[in-house]
Structure formats: structure tokens, C-alpha cells
């Protein structure tokens, strides 16, 4: 791939306008690896028009046939997995095995979408009154849009559009302008799998494109995943335009380690959850909460050892554990937090700047802060980097208070062997996705993904059953028939 | 009832502040029949505090026990039906038999809410991975609010709070300030039925109270029913405050009469649907669309006859068909539309001003316009009065185009004997609630109520399954246990 | 209650034939307390005829209206609770507080049945092919029957007929001929609650009545609860007659006590589960399996103490813990097992014959065997009396092997604090109802009740969702409409 | 394929024993085209052993992974469609396009089974009591068996085993010994798709094999499709052995043609439904019921014309409409009915013996009887050949009486344009699968297939949601945790 130009996909065809071009960087080298076109307003119009045009026929295509595109697409993605993972790694930076995991989770959403005929069943009630029947039919909305973040360039788009289109909608995807290649390539494969032109369109661009999509009255719904400030603003602007919006934002996910936890398991889990994909995950564990100093001390000792063995380098090398951050700016911002944390009194047990790092690219090692408290900005903010903050609390109640007081409520985990502690935690914690000895409790594709508090705006979570509900509108029919008719011998003239 | 003062219900107790008092009128006489307190900000605070305080214990009350309050409340409402209907009739004006119908539909929502244990079931999946289980738990939101309109002062509150509270939420109801008595009385009966203090609170007031509820971050969700401009603004403001909102607005519901319709049945249905409750219903039929001139002529002839027999008078007299409009202002506004319709070229076949009406009160007879077209304001606007517009079209396609072009998409109906016409209409029409030979296709309580287009803002409909989803937030737990534990002989010290 | 004659209830009326009369005994005194009529074949015919006659109208009654009978019946049962509990106690012997618990669990099934409109929803699919729709309608079967045991004379009938009738069936109940009064009284109250005559009929009798019901082709389904040999024979005979059958049989429910269990909690749980209602419950714990000798020794010590404090006496005295067994014969049979257990080598730690017992009536104290092994008949058989067998095993695997090897698979429980042990046990054990620190894991009414192995014959469990499925038959409609019709101007002549 | 020997598939490997060999005939030529081994008892034992051995690991394989075998199998079947259809045609006789239709319907069941993770979700209830949770887990049964008929040698096996195995069971399939090749080939492809050895086993044979499967206690459930007498006997024998059984039997499916029907559409539908696959379908229309003589006369005239154009010949020639019957004996039996019909007074309008037929093979043309009445054996019996009986009735009520009086209740259809007639028919008719203007209302794979009356024995229908329920057993867990534990500082010793 020699510095390609990433354009748009509209009505089943590649499309390039005269819009501004923005360079794309390979985070592992810092080199420009291509350009992306930022769509002009007319291009967005063109995409909406294409989607509108494709809608009537697609809406009337039986769900079974829509679902079969998903069967075909799954096979195609599996066949092209290597190519797709390389696209992810070269533009995002994550290690290939991590990219493959991302792709796999994306494909699971396609597998779920393949069950569309089952998922779209409505409720049927005979005799809601005498000889009156009523049923619900979950119909598509029309044209809907998705706006997705850089950190899962393949998976998050696959949370959205496969489900939207099997429900009968047409879709406009605006991927992150930092690593748009893989989403575009998957969209091309979807055409090959049999998706009719115009059912899925990809427009690249930045904020202007987002705002145009939010304001256009022909877009009936918008799904967004990104940071909380933008999520809040998208929720407000889309709602003000009268549309339905689900906007997923940021996180500060806590792992509580109880004194009875299997520590080896917990440390192994934390290493992946805190530093996998450089911590650039909305489900990353960025705060470890140790119950009791003994637990904390043991944890720090083990983490220090494990962190010393982390291999950091190009994502193209599958023996590495961590690749680069997404950009130089972001790396510098994370480094800034290291500095701030120390200034605010936390103990920087492991400093990621000391790690052995490649010379080029946006690399940074993993860091561990001990003795963090709730007032520090390294705790209050989402850093989105390989930085784990350890907080020490005397008991589970204190741990839960910390979590409940935080503005975010995306994911959390508890490490324990005790059934009662786990159940109490799960029941009472103000977080949408909870793991028991599972550090990244990302729901499987047939459940739904959604945080609480300022981690999600809207009433329906992403993908799974809630995704189906989000991408459909309820139509309820109530039917009775006049008592006199052909049964009573009313003579209809029938064509002979 | 001698000019009572309608105050608030907070923490299970009546509560009056020093707020402004606004007179309440009996629309059948025009006389002041009481006053309502408009809550001061501190009163709204007090209600929110009460709800917050009641929440933890109520949340932890098993759904089965929450549901039993509904069993008891149903029995109480049935025992107090006469009293409640009189409260409705005296403040709203509708005829007692109509009030009883309203109350009955409200009670059906309580019957549905009594099924809470079934409705709150989450999904359980064993082995989402090896020895990893995952399940969803639909938890309450906390404190939620409902804002309800004057036209169904008993039923619309019952669409909201019973379902919200059996889901474990605490509720703040702000009824219409024009006829707040019945909602307050029902709330009192709910205390008697065993609802703990603070679980349901009623605050009366106007726009300021609404805005305070929308802006307060402790209110997690708002349900609204009213006119479309206010619904849109509430949806935008509540969403900007980060909360979930469902806002139901206005309507222009069309009935299509096909040439093969059972006309006697259709006319009888239209009379009730157009003029029942003076047309002050968001599901009222206000536009009849006749397919073919023969159909139209036959329809007009029959309607004229039927309308001549309408009995208009006090709602206290159950032999009447129609009571008064809600206020003098509203009656004058409806009369204004009669004038405008004529000016814009419609044929005023029956003029409600000619009807025999009581001397006092806000009465107006039923009106029928023929030859209405889509450009007229009597067609474009929601009149919310006893005015039926007849439009003539050549075929079903033209009828459906009219409906699809209208800004509202609440309800619609088709009158036909033909299976194909009915199915085509139901499948393709852009309206959320569709009747086949059913003029008011209000879904039963175990389905859900919601229009399309500018008749509903939000993604979930009111009551029924969507109501349950709206008043709950999804929590997904993913659980595995460390492989070593008591099974492997790890010696826990157990207390002797 | 002075020696009443218990007859039948047919077509809404009490009915007595010239059949044989059988005495009823008060187990607390041994005195005859009434007589029960054993139905003649013509009486059973009469009941079937009544049910057949009532069926068409009841089938066509909207589910909402059928459900309302349940709302009314719940209120009536609560109002008559004292009377009903006395009927239970006087004929069955259990203590009044236990009778109230039984009645309460029965009422929960009525509460669930009150949700009939929700429970009867079918699935609706638009466009299974182009313009072809399909839906399922869960229709009633017609006339169905239930045959119930002596040990829960109120509850088990309420597992069956309320759900069957809200689904639209008509029902014939044959209660146990040992304590038929309460089921008959509840059936009378159901008439008062608004159940139309013939929808629920009660015929008393013994084996001949059962066989007549099994063989009559007009009975479409039979639900049975009783012992395993009879359940197996009923399943075979009803199936040979072509009908659907669910037949619930006996049990040997094991409680596994792990070394980390909260022993005080476990002992308290075991006391109720083993000796409550004299062990005459198909969910009673009759085998305690202690993991490790230390656990076993501690358990035996605590049980011995607790058993010494058991109060045994008339069920009319609510301060008692245990009443009499159902009959002298059954008491003698249980005593026989005590003897056999000793002979086969078990250690009779507490001998129920030594307890302080009333002079009259069929009383027997609680017994505890230690060092029971799997070859002994006290372990292999269902004793159905207040006898707890303790088995000692080295680890959980051995405990589970015992349970899996037993012929019964109704209920079981594990006592532990360890999440992993609990999950492993629940996942892998071959038993239908599993408790974790819950000794009697009887599913709540909105789940379903059913054992595995020889504890249940059939594929659907009792009550709850499975009950609804059992009492309905699936009808699937597939519909398309000819493309030419009224929409294309085919001129139907409509009646003018 | 030159006279191959069809053996068994056990533990993933072809297996041949020394059992009896039975010739296989090509019905289009009458020539022997191979042989099938009839399994000896030890072979059936071997298959059961293989299934038992494979069960534990397969049961513990996550549903998602089990489902993925279905994705792969679908692709394989589509790739091998030509080969599979030829196997069907050469052994069964049906025309290739019909074989493809059969295969396609079979694949739809695989698509449905691919949704296993969704289909296996249980219900989760928090707080069924204070701090007590309960959930259901639908677990596999173990080893289950299917016995399938000759008429759909690919499809009916695919109704059963894909769903059974994705639910976690291991399966033993005994296909029809007349055309076993395609089922065996599909089973081989399933191994290739990744099904572990022993999960699906195929044993060929006749009645002895069936009886061995029914009696072996290790087989937990049996699904059967065939004729009613055998279905009844299998239901009785399997039930007597204590297992769950669903046994689908014969049919006499009526199509009612109303006076307002679109006759061209109806005739076209009837031609396919009556004569497709030579009428050897349990959903074939074998009785047309015309309402009114005018309707009947018009129908007969059109049918006579259409039948004259039927092309009959080898199934290998896709231009043919009908192939041969399955065997010479069966053809002779059908011919016998033609004779009987005439003797009993029916009017043989078209005599299939007069058709132009190939010289060799078991061919017979399509026949039409007019003026059939309900007493004739051609009406009472299932002929399972290309014979359509026309009955004349005065009105819909008479038509429905005929259908309700028949012993079978599999499928039926009504042809009308009238919504009321269709709804009345669907609601009231005693038949499990109902078509409105759809002649073969076979439910799609995501609904379920099942007749009423003597067309199905058991309470659960085949495939779809009922299939999932049939192949799973409910396990209900009720869980609470002791209040004291690690949260209260109980010091567990954790391994350092």
C-alpha cells in the first residue's frame, strides 16, 4: 500500500471529490502512509441521496435475504483477515494479534446480524378485544448514520452498520479520519458479499461532516462512539434536530482486587486490560483499586515484575505486546499526565518513559502509579494511554464509593473468589458492564454494550438486542373486520 | 367538591407551599371550581429529595412485592371509579362514560405493571466463553419524571408512573395544571395501596416546573405527552442535560375509506373517533380520506345525518355524546379554524356553531368540512376540536401520499374488506399506529404506544414493552471464577 | 367443620352422585373428619361434557378478560386465607404457618396467570417472503386435566388450572382423595371471582377416575404430580392415548455442604428443608452430603442440637414446627425405614421415635442418620418423611457423583461461599432445580418447576413459561394476498 | 455413482457392519442403484457409545463455537448443491428443481441454528426474594435421535440434527432406508465443517433400529416424521420408555376456495401443492373444497386445462413438473385408490393413468376427482400420491366443518380476498399450519412446524423455537450468598 488516497464509497462505487486531503501516519514509524479525503458537503448529500434511493427496495427485501449478505460477508472477512489486520496495524498501530482480536469481535456482530429473521420478530396478540387482533412490526427507520472512533477502526463500525442494514435501513458511515482504510475496505467487501449499492455508504471527513449528518432531517438516527464531551454534544445536537441518538463516550474503568483474589490471575488480567492496545480502549482498566495494603503491596510487586517484561515495538511484529500510540500529540499528552501525576503526589512506580522503545514512531512504555487519590487529574480524567493508577482502600465499600462517585460508568471488574462479594458488587455498582474476574467485560455480540452515567447518552445500548431496537421503529397494527362479508354471501364480483 | 385547593403530594404526604395559585374552571359551566398551587422551586427540590431518599429501599424491594402494590391499586381504583370519573368530568369536561373509558384504559396499564417480575427478566447465557457466563439485569434508573397533558388527566399519568415504579424507580409527576385533581387523587390511592412514601410524588405547576425537572441532573429520564412544539423542545432540552427523554407530540390522524368499506360501520366509527371527547385526543380522527367521489358522497350524507343526532351538554349527564371544550380560549381557537376553513375554500357541510348548545360553558358543536385539500391550515394543523375534514382522492395511492406527506405520524386507519389493501396500507404507511377497520388504534397496554415522524421524539414508545425498556438501564455482567478454589482444597478458614 | 361430605364441582355447581364414599381423617387426631365421594364414570363424563360445553365461549373470551378473573381470585383467596389454611391443616396436618406459605406460593401462580395477555403473545414476521407474512398464535387445547397429590393440596392445583384456564382451556381437576377440601373450596371461590360455569370442574376419586381421564380422547392434556412409579405409568398411558402429558414424580434431594459453608446458615436451612411439612415435599432435602469429616462432624453436632428443639404437635398450634404425617400407614412405613437403616449399617444419630409426641394422631419425630451410603434403601428410596440421611464424601466430585448416579433429579443445593464451586456445581449437576445456599430451590412462579431424570416425564416443566407452552398449541399462519383487488379498482359491489 | 453401498457414519468415520443389505432403486428407471446396510444391534450400540463419548466435550463447547459449524456447513452445502440434489433425485425421484427447493429449506434450518447463542438464552431474575437471584439455563439433553421419512431425505433430517447439536446434544440419525444417500453425504460434510466426531452419527436400517433407539435409556429424546400409525406407536413406545418424543404423522390438507378467490392464482397454487413431488408431501393439498357450485365448476375447468399441460418424466430433466413415485408398490397403491374412488361414486375428471408416461420407472399422472364426499376412503385416507379430491360445499361453515371433522390437522389453506373470511378461518380452524392464499403454509425455519390432532403427537412442534425447547432441558438455579464473607473481613487464607 504505497501512500494511497482514501476516498469515499457511495452507491456501491468508490468516489473522490475535490475536498481537502489530510495525511495519514503510520504510528509505528511516524511516516505518512497515505491521505484521506475530507468530504465536501455535496459529497455527503450524494451519500444521503444514494442511501435514500436504495432504501425502498432494501426495506422490502425479506429479512432472510438481507441476513444472507451477512453469511457471505463473514466468510469474506475471514478470508481477508490478514489484509484487514495489516490495514488496522499500519494506520492505528496496534499489534497484529490485537488487530485480529478486534476483527474477530467485529465478525461476531455480523454473526449476530445473520439472525435478523429471529431478531425482527414482533409480538402478535389475538383477541385484544373480541375479534380484534394486534401485532407489532419492527420496521426500519430509513437512512441512519454512524460515526466511529480511531481506536477500533474495524470493530466499532461493525457494531453498527451490519445490524442497521439487516434491519432494513440504509447506512452512512463516517469512520475516524485517522485510520479510515479498514472500514472502507470492509465496506467494499460488503458490496462483494451482495449488499446492494447505496445500502452502505462511507464518507470520510471530520467535524463538518458530522455536523451535516446530525442536522440533515433525512438521517433518522445517529450512533456515535468517541469521547464524552463530543458524545454529549452529538446527543444534544442530534436530539435538537429531532432524531434518535445513541452516543457512547469515555470511561475510567476500575478493577477492584479483593484480599481473596487469585492474584496471579488478577495481575495477568490487569496487564492485558491496562496496557493492551496502549490503553486506547474505552473498556481498558485504568484504575486498580486494591482492598487492603497487603493486597496493594502484593499487586504492585507483581505488576512491576510483569511490566518489566512487556515488549513494545512495531505492531507488525506479533511478538510485541504493545505498539505505538495513535499520534505524537497524543503521546505527548499522556506524558504530560505522567508529569502531573507526580506533581499531584502520586507515586510513579513504573515510568513508561524509561522503557526500551523504538527510535521512530509514537511509542511510550507502560506506567504504574501507586497511591493515587480521587482528587488527582490522572484519576479524574480519561488518559487513554498505557497508564495504570493504583488506589488503596480499606474495604469494598470504599472501593465502590470511588466508582460510584466517578463521572464515568462504562465498565468495571472485581477480582474475588467470594460469591457474596461478587454479587453485592454486581448488583449495586453504578456501572453498565461489570466483570467478575473478567477484566474487560465487553458483552458478547448477542448481549448489548453500554455504560452508565456520562459514558452513554441515550436509552439503548449499542449492538445486540438494544441495537436491533435502536435501528427499528415500532409499528403497531390493530385489526378487525366488518362482520358482513363474503362469509355472509355478499356478492363480490370476481374477475372471470 | 367546594373549590378545593389542589396542592402537591411529596413523600407520601399532601404538601402546600406558598406558591402562586391558579384557578381551575369547570368547562361545562365556566365557573371556578378550585385552585391549583404552582410549585415553587424549593417544592420541586423537596419532591426530588423525597424521591432520592425513597429510592435505595424501593430499588431493593423485590419486583414481586413492587408488583403487588399494583394489584392492590387496581382494586382501589375500581372501587373509587365513580369518584375519579367525576373529578375528570368536572375539570376536563368529558362525559362520564368517556371518563370511565379513560380510567379503564389507565387501569389496564396497572394490570400490565402487575406483571413486573415477568417484564423485568434479563437474558442469561452460559458459556459465552469457556466457563464464562454473562447475563443482563434491567435495573431502575433512579428518579424519573412525567409531564402529562390535560386531555387524559387520569390515563396518561397511568401510562407512565405505574410502569416506572414497578421497575424500581421513584417518580415525580407533573400533571396538567388545568385538571390536576384526578391524578393527585390516584396518587393518594397509590399510597393507600402500599406504595412507600416518596416513591411517587406529584408536583403541580407550569412551565417553570417542567424546566426545573428537565435541568436537574438527578432526574434520569423524562416522559412527556403534549403538543409537538413543546415535545420537540422538551426532547432537545432534556437531551442537552444528558438525560433520556421520550416526548410524544401532536397528530393529524387520517381515516381512509375505501369503496368496499362497510360504510355503516365506518361512519359509526368516525363519529366516535372524530367527535368523542370533543376531538381533544391525540388519536382522534380529524381527516377522513374518501377514495372515489361515490364513497365521499355516501359518507357525507351519512355523517350529516349522524351529526344531527349528536347530543351535546354537561359531561355529568351520561346521555350526552359530547361535553365542552377545555377552555373558552380553546373553543374560540377552534371557531377560528371554522372561519379559516371557509375562507380557504373548504365546504363547511356541518357548522358546529349551529348546534343546540348549553348557554354557559365552553361548548361547540361538531363540524364537517368537505373538499378539504392539503394546503389548508385546517388540514395542516392539529385543531384538537370537534372538526372533521373530508378529503377526496381517486385511489389508495393518493390517500397514502397525503398521509406520508403530513408532518405527523401518530395514528391512522383504513376501512376496507379487502385483505390486500389492508396489508399494503399497514406495511407501507409512515405512521406508528395503524387501524384496520379500527378508528382509534390505540395499542392495548401490553403493546406500546408511539407515533412516527413529529408525533414522537425518542426511540422508545410509551408504556408496554418499550415503557419497561425506557424505565430501566441495562447492566451486563460477565463472570468467570478462578480455577483454583475450595474445590481444589484451598483452605479457607471458616468461622467455627 | 362437622364431618362434611366433599362432592364434586361441575358446571359451576356442587354435584353429588351415588358413588362410593371414603372417610377423611384429621392426621393430628386420627379422627374421621368427613367423607369424600369417589366419582362414578358418569360423573366424570358429566364433568367432561361441562368442560366441552363451556369451551367455545371461554376460548373466544379475550385473554385480558380471562386474566381479570385471576385478579379477582387473588383478592378472594387473600380474604379467605384463614379458612383455606384451616382446611389444609385439618386434612393434611401441616402447621398453619406452613399452610399459609403453601397458599401464598399458590397465589403467586395466580399472579403470574394474571399476566396472560403478555404470556400469550405469539411471534410476528413480516415478509417471510416478498409480501408474505407469518405469525404464530398460541391457542388453547380444549379440555385438559390435572391430577394432584396430597402433600400440597392447595398449591399444586394452583400450579395447573389457573394457567390452563387463562390460556383459554377448560379444566378438570382431580385432587388427592386424602385432603380434597381446600382445592374444592378454591374452585368455588373461582366461580365467585367470575370464572364461567364449566371452565373449572373438580371431580374427586381415585385411580379409576385417573384412568378414565387418561383414556378419554376429549381430554387433550394431563398434568400430574405424584410419585415416580405412578408418574411413569401416567405418562405412558396418556401418551398411548395420543395426548400430551407432563408427569412429575419423586425425588431424593441432596444438599452438599462444602468446608467453607456458613454452617449456621446451612443447618438452619437444612432443618426447614428436611423436616418442614414432615419431609412430605418433593423438594425436601433428604440427603445431606458433607464434604470432609470435619464438616460432617460439625454438621451432626449442630443438627443434633437443633433437632432437640423441634416442636411437634397439632398443626392448629402455630408455635409447632412439625405436624403429623398424612396417615397411620405412612407413619408406619417411615418407621420401617428407620429400622431398615439401622440394619443396613447407618448410624441413627437422632431417632424420631424418641421425640415427645402427642398421644393421638400420626406423629413421628425427626430422625438423623449419619454414615449413610449409596447402597442403603434409606438413601435409594424416597421416604417422604422427617428423615435426614447424612453421607460423608472427601470432595465435591464425589458428592456430585452420588447425585448424578441417583435415579431422581428434582432438586439439589450446595452450601458454600465459593463462586467457583457454586458455578461448577450448577453447571454440571444432573438436576433440574439447583440452589446455591438455598435449600429448597423451588422456582418462583414466573420461572418453571421441573426435575430431571425420573423426577419428570415430559419435555415441559410445570407452571411459568413452560406451563403456558404446555397448555397451548401452536398455530402458525402464513398469509399473502392476491395482487389484484380493491386497490386495482376491482369493483366490489358494496351494500348500499 | 455406480451402485454404491450406503453404510453408517459413526464417530466421524464411515462404518460398515455385516448386517443385511437392502437394494436401493432409482424410481425413474426401476433399476437398482445401490444397496443400504441395515444396522445390526451392535452397530446401533456403537453409535450410541460414540455419541455418549462425544457428549461431555461438545456440551461444554460454547454455543458460539457450536454455531460456527453451522456457518461453515451452510457454505459447504451451497457449494455441493448439485451433487446433493442429484442424490435426492436419483433415490427419491423428485425433479432436480424440487430437490433444490428441498435442500434450500433444509439450509434455512442451518441458518436458524447458526443463531444458537441467541436461541439458548435463559431468563434472569434479580431479587426473586431479597438478595436471591434466579435464572434458567437451557441445557442439552445428552444423546438424542431422529427418524426421518423418504419423502424429504435432505430436509427433514436438517429439521432435526442441526438444532439438536447446536443446543449441545449428540445425535443419531436414522434416515429412510429407501433414499439414505443424501443424509449420509450431508453428515459427511458436517464433519468437514468442523463437527467433532461422534456429535452426529448416522445409522441406516429399518424397524429394528427404530425400536432399539426407542428402548435404549441413553437416548433422551426422539424426533420422528412419518405416517400417523407409526407416529402414534413411536410416541407410545418412546414415552413408555420414559423419554420425550415428538412424532409427526400424516395429513389430509384441505384448500378452501371462496367465491371471491383469485382463481388463476388459486389454480396455479393448487397445481403445485397437489402434484408437486407427486403429492408425496405431508403438506400437499389433497382436498380442494370449493364454496359454491360456480366456484367448483370454474375450478374444475381450469384444473383440467392445467393438468393437461403437466410434464411428467425423469427428475433429472428439469423441464419436467413431476417425477416418479417412490416405488412400484406405492404407485400401485395409489392406482388402487383411483379405482376405489370411482367405485365409491366420485367423478374421476382426470385419470392419471391416461397421462403420457415413461415406459420404465414408477410413474403415474395426476388425477382429479370431483364430487368427493367425506365418507369416501379417497378422502378419509392419506393417499400420498398425485390425486386431488374436490369437494363441493355451500358455504365456509360447511368447509370448516369438513376440516374439523377430519382426523388430521396438519395444514390447510383458504383462497379469498376477504379479510374477514381469512381471519375467521385462521382463528377457528382446528389445524396447526394455515395458509391464506398460500397453498403450502410450511412455516419458515424461524417459526415451527407442527400439525394438530393426529398429525402430531407431543407438545412441541418441529424446528424453530419449539425445536430449541425440545432439544433442551430447563435447569433453574436459585442463588443467595451468606451475608458474612470476604466483605465482612472473614480472613480467607489466599495462596501467596
Amino acid at each position: 500500500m504505497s501512500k494511497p488516497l482514501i476516498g469515499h464509497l457511495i452507491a456501491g462505487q468508490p468516489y473522490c471529490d475535490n475536498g481537502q486531503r489530510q495525511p495519514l501516519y503510520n504510528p509505528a514509524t511516524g511516516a505518512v502512509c497515505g491521505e484521506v479525503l475530507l468530504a465536501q458537503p455535496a459529497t455527503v448529500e450524494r451519500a444521503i441521496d444514494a442511501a435514500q434511493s436504495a432504501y425502498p427496495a432494501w426495506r422490502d427485501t425479506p429479512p432472510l435475504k438481507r441476513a444472507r449478505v451477512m453469511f457471505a460477508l463473514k466468510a469474506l472477512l475471514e478470508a481477508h483477515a490478514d489484509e484487514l489486520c495489516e490495514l488496522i496495524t499500519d494506520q492505528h498501530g496496534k499489534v497484529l494479534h490485537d488487530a485480529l482480536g478486534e476483527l474477530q469481535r467485529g465478525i461476531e456482530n455480523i454473526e449476530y446480524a445473520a439472525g435478523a429473521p429471529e431478531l425482527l420478530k414482533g409480538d402478535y396478540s389475538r383477541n385484544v378485544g373480541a375479534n380484534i387482533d394486534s401485532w407489532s412490526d419492527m420496521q426500519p427507520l430509513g437512512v441512519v448514520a454512524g460515526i466511529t472512533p480511531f481506536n477500533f477502526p474495524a470493530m466499532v463500525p461493525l457494531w453498527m452498520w451490519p445490524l442497521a442494514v439487516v434491519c432494513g435501513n440504509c447506512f452512512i458511515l463516517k469512520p475516524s479520519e485517522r485510520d479510515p482504510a479498514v472500514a472502507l475496505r470492509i465496506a467494499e467487501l460488503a458490496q462483494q458479499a451482495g449488499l446492494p449499492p447505496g445500502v452502505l455508504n462511507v464518507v470520510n471527513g471530520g467535524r463538518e461532516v458530522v455536523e451535516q449528518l446530525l442536522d440533515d432531517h433525512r438521517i433518522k438516527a445517529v450512533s456515535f462512539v468517541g469521547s464524552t464531551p463530543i458524545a454529549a454534544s452529538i446527543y444534544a445536537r442530534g436530539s435538537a434536530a429531532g432524531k434518535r441518538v445513541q452516543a457512547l463516550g469515555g470511561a475510567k474503568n476500575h478493577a477492584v482486587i479483593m484480599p481473596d483474589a487469585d492474584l496471579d490471575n488478577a495481575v495477568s488480567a490487569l496487564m492485558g486490560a491496562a496496557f493492551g492496545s496502549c490503553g486506547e480502549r474505552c473498556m481498558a482498566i485504568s484504575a486498580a483499586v486494591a482492598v487492603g495494603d497487603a493486597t496493594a503491596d502484593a499487586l504492585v510487586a507483581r505488576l512491576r515484575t510483569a511490566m518489566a517484561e512487556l515488549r513494545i515495538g512495531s505492531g507488525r511484529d506479533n511478538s510485541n505486546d504493545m505498539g505505538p500510540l495513535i499520534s505524537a500529540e497524543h503521546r505527548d499528552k499522556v506524558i504530560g499526565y505522567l508529569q502531573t501525576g507526580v506533581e499531584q503526589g502520586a507515586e510513579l512506580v513504573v515510568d513508561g518513559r524509561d522503557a526500551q522503545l523504538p527510535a521512530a514512531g509514537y511509542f511510550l512504555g507502560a506506567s504504574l502509579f501507586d497511591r493515587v487519590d480521587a482528587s488527582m487529574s490522572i484519576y479524574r480524567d480519561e488518559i487513554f494511554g498505557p497508564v495504570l493508577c493504583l488506589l488503596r482502600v480499606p474495604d469494598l465499600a470504599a472501593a465502590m464509593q470511588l466508582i460510584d462517585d466517578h463521572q464515568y460508568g462504562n465498565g468495571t471488574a472485581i477480582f474475588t473468589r467470594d460469591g457474596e462479594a461478587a454479587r453485592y458488587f454486581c448488583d449495586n455498582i453504578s456501572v453498565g458492564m461489570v466483570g467478575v474476574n473478567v477484566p474487560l467485560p465487553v458483552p458478547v455480540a448477542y448481549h448489548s454494550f453500554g455504560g452508565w452515567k456520562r459514558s452513554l447518552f441515550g436509552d439503548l445500548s449499542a449492538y445486540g438486542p438494544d441495537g436491533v431496537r435502536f435501528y427499528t421503529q415500532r409499528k403497531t397494527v390493530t385489526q378487525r373486520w366488518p362482520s358482513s362479508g363474503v362469509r355472509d354471501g355478499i356478492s363480490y364480483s370476481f374477475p372471470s
Side-chain angles (χ1 to χ4, degrees), chain A residues 30-298:
Chain A
V32 170
C33 64
E35 287 182 310
V36 60
L37 269 171
L38 305 184
Q40 294 172 306
T43 300
V44 176
E45 282 285 320
R46 188 185 187 97
I48 298 174
D49 288 345
Q52 290 270 101
S53 301
Y55 178 62
W58 184 241
R59 170 202 184 282
D60 286 341
T61 302
L64 188 70
K65 297 202 171 166
R66 298 196 300 244
R68 283 184 181 146
V69 178
M70 296 297 124
F71 281 90
L73 179 57
K74 167 183 154 78
L76 277 174
L77 295 192
E78 288 171 345
H80 289 76
D82 287 348
E83 171 197 354
L84 296 168
C85 290
E86 286 170 11
L87 287 177
I88 295 171
T89 293
D90 289 348
Q91 295 197 345
H92 174 276
K94 64 179 70 173
V95 184
L96 281 171
H97 56 69
D98 194 22
L100 185 59
E102 171 183 356
L103 181 62
Q104 187 51 44
R105 294 306 293 251
I107 289 174
E108 289 175 17
N109 291 91
I110 293 172
E111 292 171 349
Y112 180 73
E118 179 69 17
L119 305 175
L120 287 169
K121 284 177 175 175
D123 290 331
Y124 181 84
S125 297
R126 185 172 54 98
N127 276 354
V128 298
N131 299 314
I132 303 176
D133 305 325
S134 195
W135 63 89
S136 53
D137 179 13
M138 305 312 287
Q139 296 203 339
L141 304 169
V143 182
V144 302
I147 298 155
T148 57
F150 80 86
N151 61 329
F152 286 105
M155 182 183 77
V156 174
L158 292 175
W159 284 4
M160 299 176 182
W161 73 256
L163 210 46
V165 304
V166 297
C167 290
N169 300 286
C170 293
F171 201 91
I172 296 172
L173 173 67
K174 196 216 81 64
S176 167
E177 66 270 35
R178 300 199 207 164
D179 48 9
V182 68
L184 190 66
R185 182 69 185 115
I186 290 174
E188 289 166 3
L189 292 170
Q191 313 301 311
Q192 195 175 320
L195 208 63
V199 171
L200 171 64
N201 306 278
V202 180
V203 290
N204 282 301
R207 178 176 179 160
E208 294 72 17
V209 170
V210 170
E211 291 178 351
Q212 190 177 349
L213 291 172
L214 286 171
D215 295 344
D216 192 295
H217 73 280
R218 292 167 300 173
I219 308 283
K220 300 303 182 194
V222 172
S223 296
F224 171 84
V225 175
S227 71
T228 285
I230 300 181
S233 121
I234 277 179
Y235 185 64
R237 185 163 180 160
S239 296
K243 53 182 51 115
R244 56 175 74 180
V245 185
Q246 55 179 191
L248 283 68
K252 194 79 182 185
N253 304 310
H254 300 67
V256 178
I257 295 90
M258 296 292 286
D260 70 332
D262 177 335
L263 268 200
D264 289 332
N265 173 49
V267 166
S268 155
L270 284 176
M271 287 298 296
F275 306 126
S277 206
C278 274
E280 293 170 329
R281 292 172 176 159
C282 67
M283 285 294 277
I285 293 293
S286 48
V289 186
V291 173
D293 275 325
T295 309
D297 293 343

Side-chain angles (χ1 to χ4, degrees), chain A residues 409-461:
Chain A
N410 218 38
T412 190
I414 185 170
F415 288 85
T416 184
R417 285 191 176 89
D418 187 82
E420 196 274 339
R423 196 273 179 190
Y424 183 85
F425 183 78
C426 291
D427 181 14
N428 289 288
I429 201 72
S430 295
V431 170
M433 295 175 285
V434 185
V436 176
N437 299 304
V438 169
L440 292 174
V442 178
V444 287
Y446 44 104
H447 284 254
S448 292
F449 182 105
W452 286 15
K453 295 189 286 187
R454 291 184 63 79
S455 291
L456 183 145
F457 301 93
D459 38 21
L460 292 167
S461 299

Side-chain angles (χ1 to χ4, degrees), chain A residues 278-332:
Chain A
C278 274
E280 293 170 329
R281 292 172 176 159
C282 67
M283 285 294 277
I285 293 293
S286 48
V289 186
V291 173
D293 275 325
T295 309
D297 293 343
L299 201 61
V300 168
R302 278 170 164 84
L303 281 169
R304 190 198 300 263
T305 306
M307 290 171 73
E309 288 163 15
L310 268 181
R311 295 195 45 168
I312 302 165
S314 164
R316 282 279 193 160
D317 177 351
N318 244 331
S319 69
N320 283 324
D321 298 306
M322 263 173 61
L325 286 156
I326 185 67
S327 67
E329 296 71 24
H330 186 54
R331 181 195 48 194
D332 295 346

